Each structure stands twice: as structure tokens, then as C-alpha cells.
Amino acid sequence: MTVTGNEIIHQYLRHNKKFPHVLCAGCGHGIVLGTLIRSVHQLQIPKDDVVIVAGIGCSGRLAVYVDFNTVHTTHGRALTFATGIKMANPKLNVICIMGDGDALSIGGNHMIHAARRNIGVTALVLNNNIYGMTGGQSSPATPAGSVSMTAPFGQLEKSFDTVELAKGAGANFVARGTVFHVRKLEKLMVTAIERPGFNMLEIITPCHTQFGRKNKYKTPVDMYKWLKSNAMDIERYNEIEEGKRGDKFPIGTFIERDQPGLEERYYKLKADLRKARKEG
Amino acid sequence: MARPKKHKEIFAQGNEAVVEGALMAGCSFYGGYPITPSSEIMEIMANRLPLTKDGVFIQLEDEIASMGAVVGASLAGRKAMTATSGPGFSLKQENLGYACMAEAPLVLVNVMRGGPSTGLPTSPAQGDVQQARWGTHGDHPIIVLSASDVQECLEMTITAFNLAEKYRTPVILLLDEITAHTREKIKIPHPHEYEVVSRIVPTMPPEWYKPFEETVRGVAPMPPIGSGYRFHVTGLTHDVNGFPTSRPDEVVDHMERLHRKIDQFFYDIQIVEERQTEDAEVVVVAYGSVARSAEFAIQQAREAGVKAGLLKLKTLFPYPRRATEKILGQAKRLIVPEMNMGQMSREVKRVNCGRASVRTINRFDGQIITPSEILKVIMQG
Ligand SMILES: Cc1ncc(C[n+]2csc(CCOP(=O)(O)OP(=O)(O)O)c2C)c(N)n1
Ligand code: SF4
């Protein structure tokens, strides 16, 4: 008997949580949550072993609907809570859900250091190029030239490259996907969850309500079409000449290292120290 | 019967005694960021925790991260602690509020130094008393303890962990630089001489469990993350299941329970020590290292024939109102010396309602308050 996608999702939703959810129709965040559920299901990780740690923003609200251990933290600080949880109990699969404002602006420093220390956490950065929940102000990922509530005359600052940041800081695994390319996203997410160390997956997800409307994408469909025609596998992207890339951006895996997570190194050190002490 | 074993005695600094106390109370997680005059706590933890069975030590990128990590570790079932000083304390405030809301037990030590801002980094002060009470946003109860000597640093750290676990709440231990850096001989209590409290974990089937339910003690049992009880933790105002709510009746229930769980157990939480207050006409109300100066001063006053006494506050908040009221009925004069411009004397005056005269002695120049300064005011009559 084949199990449908819906049936899988239903196994993981909270029966005692009052629905409907807070997301706008057409928001990409729901697709991310669906993908997350399917990824965990595919990996056959018991619900009790999964901890979702979320920041604050529309993305942060995802945690409340799913039947895992869920912690909705403070704005920008999800990775710090996740670090404490993972160090306290390395057996847990700790997955962080953050918005682009959350992860790159207020939480930028934590992102750098989580990657540097290679803590065994999966970081999902839901990049919708805008502060969704607070009503459409510029985020570090807002593209130069586009309009926001706090850049009514066009964003002057250059937008931030999440992938380059995570790579530079030393993350084990760095990838980017979009909510349009769901199958590919699921593959990337499965890898990001199952690998040890710090794994950062940036997910391009449209916020039609706060970003699209003001920036010539009148409907959610326009935004998905934009994703469809501009996201491109990294190999193909690299073949295009620098000046001719336009709005195109690469998706796929950017780096795959295989360093043990901090928690693994710490517990090994502990075991060695304690053994040496007993023998000595 | 076996002869009682002699106490192990060590020569230690206040900061070291805090670590001893924490380990005795079962602390197995430390996350921090260094800052004078609290850094020794972190350095000693870095040495000790990796050698204990479950101990985890981690240095984080800043105080915000340390506080986040400690809350995370607490949710994962650990007795967790962090230590800091003024500027770092300010950075921890947002996640401290989160811990109040999420009812995550933890201990936060603040070895106070002169302020505001980076202030007087190596000088003693008591300028963070009201920050400890009101520093984070919103209405919330909080437990704030203090210690006046090295032995008390050890004992009050154990108490801090116990209260945190019992009431599912962050507990702040406020020290001043003098107490933290003074070295003196202290006794390590035998295990049977102190109590170690651990949070109650649920025993009911997971589907019955409500993580923020009202109970007789006001707090629900708390399982470690990953032990089969899956629930939602949030800084948003939530219902008994942990789900966000803005329904006025649920908001009120939640807020009232948060306050009640601390308020109704004042006799357990409000710890004070009295010295010669029975017949005292003048009582010095003091805490931290200043209480030691005060103790010396009242002795000298007694020798000079003045009926002086000391009310030493070991709990600063919730403010030990009853202990103060008792004294107000009998003493004509209260003296509140402190190393700030008058933060705890506010509480004394609030309770006083004009019943006795209240004099304050305030130093905020990074200098210690000496016994003779206090004695002078006692003798002024
Ligand atoms: C310390 C702090 N500063 C600001 C806010 C207000 N705030 C809430 S959500 C948010 C940004 C949300 O944007 P993003 O992280 O991109 O997530 P999205 O809503 O787009 O999913 C901000 C600034 C806050 N909650 N806490
Ligand atoms: S505001 Fe934007 S990010 Fe938030 S739910 Fe709506 S579409 Fe999604």
C-alpha cells in the first residue's frame, strides 16, 4: 500500500493544536515544513529524537504545528539554544528554523560561530528577502534596488550571501534550494539533517505579502515563476559568464566537509581525560 | 557510633566557592563569556566540568549566546549555570525573561562591578540590584539571592540551584567584587548536611502531560527534551499545553500562576539572618560584603552601649518584607548601607511607610563601605 504525502504529513502534525496556521496563502514557509516532515520521515528518525528550535518571525512559527520537541526561542538566538541542547544531549537531532532577518541580521554572529565551532545542528535559513512578520522591512537579504517599508526609495545596501558566509565560517555542509524545486530541496534537507557537524541549508521561499506585492510580483504565482526561471543548478550556473547571469542564482551543494561536530569532539575529550585519570 | 568525619577545609575565593557549590548542587552545564570580576567562575568550570561524569563546559561568542545555551541545556534536563558582570548581565536580560516565561530552571551569577556601562571594571559595587529585579521586559517574578562571605557563596549557590529546580525558574545570585575575590578558609559540608533538590519529572503517560499546568505547588513537572514528552516551549504567552494564546482568560491564568508559584512560598524563599535584633533600637539592613562591615559595626556599637542589630538579607527578591516589618515594630532607626545610590533602601522605605526613620549610606566610588562609616551613623543617634 502506498502512503500518500498527506498521510505522512498528518502523522506529524499536532492533533491538540488549534488550526488554522498563521501563514498567508501562497507563503513558501509551509512548503518548507512539509519538506522537513518528509525528510525526517524518510530518515526514519523517531519523533522523540527530533528537536525543532525556531527563531522569531513567520518562519519561527512553524515549530508550533509539528509533533516533535519544539522550542520557539528569541529573535536571532535559535542557534544558541540549539547549541545548549546539542551539547547537553548529543543524541538529539537538532534542527534550527530561522528567517533571513533572524539568522543573518540579529543572529549573524551566532551563525558565524555555530559554523566555526561546527556544532552538530542543522540550520535551515528560510530566506524570503524581507522581514515578513514585522511587516516588510528590509533584511540583510533584501536585494539592492528593491523596495521595502524601510527602503521606500530602493534598497541601497548590497544583499548578503548566506552561502558564502557559512562556507567562510567553516560549516561542514552548505547548500541552497528553493521551495519551487521541492524534490531537490528534500534531497538537500535529508543530507543536511543526517550529516554530523554544522549543516546550513538556505531555502529561497517567497513572501508575496510583504516582498512580492511591492516589487512587481503581484501574485504568489508570479513569485514561483520567478524562482522557476532564475534558480539554476550550480554546475550550470558556473558555466554562464559572470556578466551575463542577471537575476540567476545557483542552487545545490556548495561545500561538503566531513569534520566531527563539536559535541563529538567534546565528549571524546571527556572520555579520554577521565580514562587517563583513572589509569594515572 | 562512628565519629563524625572532620570537614574538608579549603582556602578559597568567593568565585571558587560558587563553583564548589554549583557542583555539589548537581550543576552539569556551564556556558559563558568572560568578564571581570566573574571570570574565575568560568575558568574553574572549564577545568572541572570535563572531568565530571556528565559535565559540559562551553565558551560562547557572547553573553546572549551563553544565556541561550544555558536555557537550551536546562530544557534538555541539565542543571545549568552561567556567570557574568554588569555589562554581560544586561546582555543576558532578554533570554533571562525567556527563561521566566518558559519556566526553565537555571542559575545566573552576577558579580557586580561599578557602573553604569563598562564603569569600574575591577571595583566593587552593588549597582545591579534593581536590574536583577526588573532588567528583563514585562511583569515577572524573580528570585535574587546574595552572599556576604566565601562560605555563603558556596551555600547560597546550592540554595540558588535548589530554588531554581523547585520553582522552575531562573535564580540570580548577586555577588560583589569583594566577596568574589576575598580568600578565606571555608568548610566543605558533608553530603548529608545540605539538601539537593532536582526538578520533578512527569510520570504520567505522555499524552496526559500538560507542561504548564497549575498544580498544588504551582509548577508542572518538567521532563528533559527527548524523553518521550513532546511539547512546545515558547516565549509567547501560552496556554497549559505551551501553545501561544492571547485569550484574556488564558493570559490571566498564566500570569497569575507565574507570580503565585513564587509569592506563595515566601517562607521558603526569603532567607535572612538576624544579629542582635531582639532588643535593637537601631538596625542596619545590609547584604553582600557590606553586611560584614555592618556586623563589625554593630558589635562596636554594642560595646559602646548602643543597642544595635543587623538584618542581613540573603534573599533580595522577592523582598523579605516580613523580616523587615518585624523590626519596624520595634526599632526606631534603620540604616541601609549599600554600594550604590540607594537601590535596596527603596524596598526598605516601601515597607516602612514612615514607621521608623531610614538613613542610607551610599558609596558608588568603587570603594568598600567600612565598619567605621557605618558605626559613625549608628552613633549619630
Ligand atoms: C530582539 C527583537 N528585535 C526585534 C523583534 C521584532 N521582530 C519580530 S520578527 C522580526 C523579523 C522577521 O523576519 P525574518 O527573520 O526574516 O523572518 P520572516 O518573518 O520573514 O519569516 C523582527 C524584527 C523581536 N521580536 N525581537
Ligand atoms: S508575511 Fe510573508 S513570510 Fe509571513 S506568512 Fe505571509 S507570506 Fe509568509
Side-chain angles (χ1 to χ4, degrees):
Chain A
M1 197 181 81
T2 53
V3 185
T4 66
N6 265 353
E7 280 167 354
I8 294 177
I9 300 280
H10 288 166
Q11 287 172 29
Y12 289 86
L13 292 181
R14 281 190 157 128
H15 65 88
N16 56 347
K17 169 75 191 94
K18 303 158 205 116
F19 280 84
H21 54 71
V22 297
L23 303 179
C24 309
C27 177
H29 287 4
I31 300 176
V32 177
L33 192 59
T35 311
L36 174 61
I37 288 173
R38 286 192 302 275
S39 303
V40 169
H41 184 78
Q42 192 183 320
L43 288 167
Q44 290 291 304
I45 309 172
K47 287 179 184 177
D48 282 331
D49 295 351
V50 176
V51 190
I52 307 291
V53 186
I56 297 284
C58 298
S59 49
R61 293 297 184 98
L62 295 182
V64 74
Y65 307 111
V66 275
D67 187 22
F68 298 121
N69 305 285
T70 52
V71 187
H72 181 220
T73 66
T74 45
H75 188 40
R77 316 303 173 192
L79 281 172
T80 73
F81 285 66
T83 301
I85 294 169
K86 186 69 182 179
M87 287 300 281
N89 185 354
K91 285 195 220 89
L92 297 169
N93 277 278
V94 184
I95 303 168
C96 254
I97 302 178
M98 297 168 283
D100 47 326
D102 215 18
L104 305 176
S105 189
I106 189 165
N109 199 30
H110 307 311
M111 180 65 110
I112 295 172
H113 292 282
R116 173 185 65 81
R117 60 171 69 100
N118 200 27
I119 182 79
V121 167
T122 305
L124 306 178
V125 180
L126 278 56
N127 184 355
N128 56 11
N129 306 108
I130 200 85
Y131 285 2
M133 181 151 269
T134 38
Q137 302 85 358
S138 289
S139 92
T142 302
S146 48
V147 174
S148 81
M149 291 303 277
T150 48
F153 311 110
Q155 178 73 10
L156 288 179
E157 298 167 16
K158 187 169 171 260
S159 79
F160 205 76
D161 191 326
T162 322
V163 162
E164 287 303 320
L165 173 83
K167 260 167 67 180
N172 236 7
F173 172 80
V174 178
R176 182 190 285 133
T178 90
V179 293
F180 182 81
H181 305 83
V182 188
R183 294 271 165 261
K184 188 174 177 80
L185 183 65
E186 197 173 312
K187 277 200 189 119
L188 294 173
M189 204 179 285
V190 165
T191 315
I193 294 172
E194 85 187 325
R195 292 177 62 95
F198 187 74
N199 305 311
M200 198 285 296
L201 171 61
E202 179 184 21
I203 304 165
I204 312 296
T205 160
C207 171
H208 155 259
T209 314
Q210 301 296 356
F211 183 81
R213 236 170 2 108
K214 296 188 199 76
N215 291 287
K216 68 186 191 282
Y217 305 100
K218 292 229 165 350
T219 66
V221 175
D222 293 337
M223 299 215 57
Y224 286 92
K225 278 188 180 152
W226 182 89
L227 282 182
K228 182 182 177 202
S229 50
N230 286 297
M232 185 179 268
D233 277 340
I234 175 162
E235 296 79 15
R236 269 183 61 209
Y237 178 86
N238 284 341
E239 284 164 14
I240 312 177
E241 255 176 76
E242 275 238 34
K244 295 187 177 160
R245 286 170 179 166
D247 270 1
K248 301 255 185 297
F249 64 91
I251 56 173
T253 304
F254 295 80
I255 206 150
E256 235 169 327
R257 298 188 181 105
D258 210 7
Q259 304 292 322
L262 173 69
E263 68 290 349
E264 211 179 311
R265 287 174 281 141
Y266 180 81
Y267 279 89
K268 179 169 185 314
L269 169 76
K270 244 176 106 66
D272 291 350
L273 284 172
R274 284 171 62 80
K275 199 167 150 237
R277 209 180 179 208
K278 263 189 202 138
E279 285 166 2
Chain B
M1 210 178 85
R3 291 243 310 277
K5 271 221 283 274
K6 260 191 79 179
H7 282 107
K8 185 178 157 200
E9 290 182 327
I10 60 168
F11 189 63
Q13 192 188 60
N15 281 340
E16 267 176 275
V18 166
V19 175
E20 291 302 332
L23 295 175
M24 286 161 67
C27 172
S28 70
F29 189 98
Y30 186 95
Y33 189 78
I35 181 169
T36 310
S38 74
S39 297
E40 293 87 358
I41 297 179
M42 184 171 187
E43 291 164 7
I44 303 165
M45 281 293 192
N47 274 291
R48 298 283 294 273
L49 279 173
L51 297 170
T52 65
K53 187 160 166 283
D54 309 308
V56 174
F57 170 87
I58 181 168
Q59 172 167 349
L60 289 118
E61 55 273 21
D62 57 30
E63 285 85 353
I64 299 174
S66 328
M67 197 64 199
V70 163
V71 178
S74 168
L75 296 174
R78 299 306 194 103
K79 290 191 180 180
M81 173 168 137
T82 184
T84 188
S85 184
F89 192 46
S90 299
L91 290 181
K92 288 179 189 291
Q93 293 289 352
E94 188 195 11
N95 283 340
L96 175 66
Y98 183 94
C100 294
M101 194 57 142
E103 299 181 65
L106 58 91
V107 173
L108 163 51
V109 182
N110 174 7
V111 184
M112 293 178 281
R113 63 189 218 173
S117 192
T118 29
L120 302 164
T122 53
S123 302
Q126 295 177 318
D128 300 343
V129 170
Q130 292 292 347
Q131 187 189 186
R133 175 63 193 91
W134 296 111
T136 191
H137 48 291
D139 296 306
H140 63 92
I142 192 94
I143 299 178
V144 183
L145 309 177
S146 74
S148 62
D149 60 33
V150 180
Q151 186 75 40
E152 261 179 37
C153 282
L154 182 148
E155 289 162 9
M156 292 312 282
T157 306
I158 298 177
T159 305
F161 273 98
N162 287 348
L163 294 178
E165 294 286 316
K166 226 191 242 180
Y167 300 106
R168 271 188 73 172
T169 184
V171 174
I172 298 166
L173 177 62
L174 279 187
L175 303 177
D176 55 66
E177 189 272 342
I178 301 170
T179 317
H181 281 161
T182 300
R183 286 188 178 278
E184 54 193 337
K185 197 160 80 174
I186 61 166
K187 271 192 204 140
I188 305 290
H190 296 306
H192 65 268
E193 290 175 313
Y194 58 90
E195 190 191 12
V196 170
V197 180
S198 298
R199 70 194 73 166
I200 295 173
V201 293
T203 48
M204 68 276 273
E207 55 283 11
W208 294 4
Y209 175 64
K210 289 191 169 52
F212 300 98
E213 194 177 29
E214 173 77 286
T215 63
V216 184
R217 290 176 53 240
V219 294
M222 182 179 178
I225 282 181
S227 62
Y229 295 83
R230 295 185 299 275
F231 61 98
H232 187 59
V233 181
T234 176
L236 292 169
T237 305
H238 45 263
D239 62 17
V240 291
N241 289 311
F243 297 136
T245 181
S246 48
R247 248 177 58 185
D249 58 334
E250 289 179 338
V251 175
V252 169
D253 278 358
H254 165 81
M255 287 295 280
E256 288 188 344
R257 184 180 59 76
L258 270 193
H259 281 82
R260 192 168 52 239
K261 73 172 184 179
I262 306 289
D263 293 347
Q264 70 181 347
F265 292 102
F266 64 88
Y267 56 84
D268 185 38
I269 299 171
Q270 297 176 358
I271 309 164
V272 297
E273 243 177 66
E274 292 182 44
R275 293 264 193 280
Q276 311 198 49
T277 49
E278 305 76 24
D279 62 342
E281 285 164 6
V282 45
V283 175
V284 184
V285 184
Y287 55 97
S289 66
V290 180
R292 291 183 98 174
S293 294
E295 192 168 350
F296 199 66
I298 64 154
Q299 247 128 44
Q300 288 176 317
R302 286 267 168 186
E303 277 160 31
V306 176
K307 287 183 177 163
L310 167 69
L311 174 65
K312 176 159 92 181
L313 305 174
K314 292 175 150 184
T315 300
L316 302 184
F317 295 104
Y319 179 73
R321 184 184 185 106
R322 274 163 204 255
T324 314
E325 298 245 329
K326 214 175 77 196
I327 284 159
L328 286 171
Q330 129 217 340
K332 295 190 195 72
R333 293 196 297 129
L334 300 190
I335 299 169
V336 191
E338 48 186 340
M339 288 185 282
N340 58 43
M341 293 178 83
Q343 297 197 16
M344 211 57 197
S345 56
R346 277 169 184 269
E347 305 300 319
V348 177
K349 287 174 183 164
R350 180 169 63 80
V351 177
N352 182 33
C353 298
R355 278 176 278 182
S357 87
V358 179
R359 280 274 310 263
T360 65
I361 303 173
N362 305 104
R363 277 204 96 136
F364 35 84
D365 55 357
Q367 301 301 309
I368 189 165
I369 297 183
T370 59
S372 57
E373 272 173 274
I374 301 172
L375 182 65
K376 208 168 90 193
V377 180
I378 294 176
M379 301 309 281
Q380 273 164 7

Short mmCIF file of all heavy atoms in Angstrom, two decimals, chain A residues 69-102:
data_model
loop_
_atom_site.label_atom_id
_atom_site.label_comp_id
_atom_site.label_asym_id
_atom_site.label_seq_id
_atom_site.Cartn_x
_atom_site.Cartn_y
_atom_site.Cartn_z
N ASN A 69 9.79 17.63 19.60
CA ASN A 69 10.13 18.54 20.69
C ASN A 69 10.35 19.89 20.03
O ASN A 69 11.21 19.99 19.14
CB ASN A 69 11.41 18.09 21.39
CG ASN A 69 11.31 16.65 21.88
OD1 ASN A 69 10.64 16.39 22.87
ND2 ASN A 69 11.95 15.72 21.19
N THR A 70 9.62 20.90 20.44
CA THR A 70 9.73 22.17 19.72
C THR A 70 10.01 23.33 20.68
O THR A 70 9.38 23.45 21.73
CB THR A 70 8.45 22.46 18.92
OG1 THR A 70 7.32 22.36 19.79
CG2 THR A 70 8.28 21.48 17.77
N VAL A 71 10.96 24.15 20.29
CA VAL A 71 11.33 25.29 21.13
C VAL A 71 11.34 26.55 20.26
O VAL A 71 12.11 26.64 19.30
CB VAL A 71 12.73 25.09 21.76
CG1 VAL A 71 13.02 26.21 22.76
CG2 VAL A 71 12.85 23.74 22.44
N HIS A 72 10.47 27.46 20.59
CA HIS A 72 10.34 28.72 19.85
C HIS A 72 11.09 29.75 20.69
O HIS A 72 10.65 30.10 21.78
CB HIS A 72 8.84 29.03 19.76
CG HIS A 72 8.48 30.26 19.03
ND1 HIS A 72 7.48 31.10 19.46
CD2 HIS A 72 8.96 30.82 17.90
CE1 HIS A 72 7.36 32.11 18.62
NE2 HIS A 72 8.24 31.97 17.66
N THR A 73 12.25 30.19 20.23
CA THR A 73 13.16 30.93 21.11
C THR A 73 12.99 32.44 20.96
O THR A 73 11.90 32.91 20.69
CB THR A 73 14.62 30.52 20.83
OG1 THR A 73 14.96 30.96 19.51
CG2 THR A 73 14.81 29.02 20.92
N THR A 74 14.06 33.18 21.12
CA THR A 74 14.02 34.64 20.94
C THR A 74 14.57 34.99 19.56
O THR A 74 15.26 34.18 18.93
CB THR A 74 14.84 35.34 22.04
OG1 THR A 74 16.08 34.65 22.19
CG2 THR A 74 14.11 35.32 23.37
N HIS A 75 14.30 36.20 19.11
CA HIS A 75 14.67 36.61 17.75
C HIS A 75 16.20 36.56 17.57
O HIS A 75 16.93 37.22 18.29
CB HIS A 75 14.15 38.03 17.51
CG HIS A 75 14.30 38.52 16.10
ND1 HIS A 75 14.07 37.71 15.00
CD2 HIS A 75 14.64 39.73 15.61
CE1 HIS A 75 14.27 38.42 13.90
NE2 HIS A 75 14.62 39.64 14.23
N GLY A 76 16.62 35.77 16.62
CA GLY A 76 18.05 35.69 16.30
C GLY A 76 18.85 34.71 17.11
O GLY A 76 20.02 34.46 16.82
N ARG A 77 18.26 34.12 18.15
CA ARG A 77 19.05 33.34 19.10
C ARG A 77 18.85 31.84 19.00
O ARG A 77 19.34 31.09 19.85
CB ARG A 77 18.76 33.78 20.53
CG ARG A 77 18.70 35.28 20.74
CD ARG A 77 19.97 35.98 20.31
NE ARG A 77 19.81 37.43 20.39
CZ ARG A 77 20.67 38.29 19.86
NH1 ARG A 77 21.73 37.87 19.21
NH2 ARG A 77 20.46 39.58 19.97
N ALA A 78 18.10 31.39 18.00
CA ALA A 78 17.78 29.96 17.93
C ALA A 78 19.03 29.09 18.00
O ALA A 78 19.07 28.09 18.71
CB ALA A 78 17.01 29.68 16.64
N LEU A 79 20.08 29.51 17.30
CA LEU A 79 21.29 28.67 17.27
C LEU A 79 21.95 28.56 18.65
O LEU A 79 22.60 27.56 18.95
CB LEU A 79 22.30 29.23 16.26
CG LEU A 79 22.01 28.90 14.80
CD1 LEU A 79 22.97 29.67 13.88
CD2 LEU A 79 22.15 27.40 14.54
N THR A 80 21.78 29.58 19.48
CA THR A 80 22.41 29.50 20.81
C THR A 80 21.66 28.49 21.68
O THR A 80 22.29 27.69 22.37
CB THR A 80 22.44 30.87 21.50
OG1 THR A 80 21.13 31.24 21.95
CG2 THR A 80 22.96 31.96 20.58
N PHE A 81 20.36 28.48 21.62
CA PHE A 81 19.57 27.48 22.35
C PHE A 81 19.93 26.09 21.82
O PHE A 81 20.11 25.15 22.58
CB PHE A 81 18.07 27.72 22.18
CG PHE A 81 17.51 28.88 22.96
CD1 PHE A 81 17.87 30.19 22.69
CD2 PHE A 81 16.58 28.66 23.97
CE1 PHE A 81 17.33 31.26 23.41
CE2 PHE A 81 16.02 29.72 24.69
CZ PHE A 81 16.40 31.01 24.41
N ALA A 82 19.99 26.00 20.50
CA ALA A 82 20.29 24.71 19.86
C ALA A 82 21.64 24.18 20.30
O ALA A 82 21.82 22.98 20.53
CB ALA A 82 20.25 24.88 18.34
N THR A 83 22.60 25.10 20.43
CA THR A 83 23.95 24.70 20.86
C THR A 83 23.89 24.10 22.27
O THR A 83 24.51 23.05 22.54
CB THR A 83 24.89 25.92 20.83
OG1 THR A 83 24.91 26.43 19.50
CG2 THR A 83 26.29 25.57 21.27
N GLY A 84 23.14 24.74 23.15
CA GLY A 84 22.99 24.22 24.52
C GLY A 84 22.34 22.85 24.52
O GLY A 84 22.78 21.94 25.22
N ILE A 85 21.30 22.71 23.72
CA ILE A 85 20.57 21.43 23.69
C ILE A 85 21.47 20.31 23.15
O ILE A 85 21.56 19.23 23.71
CB ILE A 85 19.29 21.56 22.82
CG1 ILE A 85 18.30 22.52 23.50
CG2 ILE A 85 18.65 20.21 22.57
CD1 ILE A 85 17.12 22.93 22.63
N LYS A 86 22.19 20.62 22.07
CA LYS A 86 23.03 19.59 21.44
C LYS A 86 24.18 19.19 22.35
O LYS A 86 24.53 18.01 22.45
CB LYS A 86 23.57 20.13 20.10
CG LYS A 86 24.33 19.10 19.29
CD LYS A 86 23.41 18.01 18.75
CE LYS A 86 24.20 16.95 17.98
NZ LYS A 86 23.32 15.88 17.47
N MET A 87 24.80 20.17 23.01
CA MET A 87 25.90 19.84 23.92
C MET A 87 25.38 19.05 25.12
O MET A 87 26.06 18.17 25.64
CB MET A 87 26.61 21.12 24.40
CG MET A 87 27.48 21.79 23.36
SD MET A 87 28.82 20.75 22.74
CE MET A 87 30.01 20.88 24.08
N ALA A 88 24.18 19.38 25.56
CA ALA A 88 23.60 18.69 26.72
C ALA A 88 23.21 17.26 26.37
O ALA A 88 23.32 16.36 27.20
CB ALA A 88 22.40 19.46 27.25
N ASN A 89 22.74 17.05 25.17
CA ASN A 89 22.32 15.71 24.75
C ASN A 89 22.62 15.50 23.27
O ASN A 89 21.78 15.72 22.40
CB ASN A 89 20.82 15.52 25.03
CG ASN A 89 20.38 14.10 24.72
OD1 ASN A 89 21.16 13.30 24.21
ND2 ASN A 89 19.14 13.80 25.04
N PRO A 90 23.83 15.02 22.97
CA PRO A 90 24.27 14.88 21.57
C PRO A 90 23.45 13.88 20.77
O PRO A 90 23.54 13.87 19.54
CB PRO A 90 25.72 14.39 21.71
CG PRO A 90 26.11 14.66 23.10
CD PRO A 90 24.87 14.65 23.93
N LYS A 91 22.65 13.06 21.44
CA LYS A 91 21.87 12.06 20.70
C LYS A 91 20.71 12.69 19.93
O LYS A 91 20.16 12.10 19.01
CB LYS A 91 21.30 11.02 21.66
CG LYS A 91 22.36 10.05 22.16
CD LYS A 91 21.67 8.86 22.80
CE LYS A 91 22.39 8.41 24.04
NZ LYS A 91 21.99 9.04 25.29
N LEU A 92 20.33 13.89 20.32
CA LEU A 92 19.18 14.53 19.69
C LEU A 92 19.53 15.08 18.31
O LEU A 92 20.65 15.53 18.08
CB LEU A 92 18.66 15.65 20.58
CG LEU A 92 18.14 15.21 21.96
CD1 LEU A 92 17.90 16.41 22.85
CD2 LEU A 92 16.86 14.39 21.80
N ASN A 93 18.57 15.02 17.41
CA ASN A 93 18.71 15.66 16.10
C ASN A 93 18.16 17.07 16.21
O ASN A 93 16.96 17.27 16.29
CB ASN A 93 17.88 14.92 15.05
CG ASN A 93 18.62 13.72 14.52
OD1 ASN A 93 19.46 13.85 13.65
ND2 ASN A 93 18.33 12.56 15.10
N VAL A 94 19.05 18.03 16.24
CA VAL A 94 18.61 19.40 16.49
C VAL A 94 18.55 20.17 15.16
O VAL A 94 19.54 20.27 14.44
CB VAL A 94 19.55 20.11 17.48
CG1 VAL A 94 19.02 21.50 17.81
CG2 VAL A 94 19.70 19.29 18.76
N ILE A 95 17.35 20.65 14.85
CA ILE A 95 17.13 21.36 13.59
C ILE A 95 16.65 22.78 13.90
O ILE A 95 15.68 22.96 14.62
CB ILE A 95 16.07 20.63 12.73
CG1 ILE A 95 16.53 19.18 12.48
CG2 ILE A 95 15.82 21.38 11.42
CD1 ILE A 95 15.45 18.29 11.89
N CYS A 96 17.36 23.75 13.37
CA CYS A 96 17.04 25.15 13.63
C CYS A 96 16.31 25.74 12.44
O CYS A 96 16.80 25.64 11.31
CB CYS A 96 18.33 25.93 13.80
SG CYS A 96 18.65 26.36 15.46
N ILE A 97 15.18 26.39 12.69
CA ILE A 97 14.48 27.09 11.61
C ILE A 97 14.60 28.59 11.86
O ILE A 97 14.22 29.08 12.93
CB ILE A 97 12.99 26.70 11.59
CG1 ILE A 97 12.83 25.19 11.42
CG2 ILE A 97 12.25 27.46 10.48
CD1 ILE A 97 11.38 24.72 11.43
N MET A 98 15.16 29.29 10.88
CA MET A 98 15.35 30.73 11.07
C MET A 98 14.96 31.48 9.81
O MET A 98 15.11 30.98 8.70
CB MET A 98 16.83 31.01 11.35
CG MET A 98 17.33 30.38 12.65
SD MET A 98 19.12 30.43 12.78
CE MET A 98 19.59 29.10 11.68
N GLY A 99 14.51 32.72 9.99
CA GLY A 99 14.27 33.60 8.85
C GLY A 99 15.59 34.26 8.44
O GLY A 99 16.61 34.10 9.13
N ASP A 100 15.56 35.00 7.34
CA ASP A 100 16.80 35.66 6.92
C ASP A 100 17.18 36.79 7.86
O ASP A 100 18.35 36.99 8.17
CB ASP A 100 16.71 36.15 5.46
CG ASP A 100 15.42 36.92 5.16
OD1 ASP A 100 14.39 36.57 5.73
OD2 ASP A 100 15.46 37.85 4.35
N GLY A 101 16.17 37.51 8.38
CA GLY A 101 16.47 38.55 9.36
C GLY A 101 17.03 37.92 10.63
O GLY A 101 18.05 38.34 11.18
N ASP A 102 16.33 36.90 11.06
CA ASP A 102 16.68 36.11 12.22
C ASP A 102 18.12 35.59 12.18
O ASP A 102 18.91 35.79 13.11
CB ASP A 102 15.73 34.89 12.13
CG ASP A 102 15.26 34.39 13.45
OD1 ASP A 102 15.34 35.11 14.44
OD2 ASP A 102 14.77 33.25 13.45
#
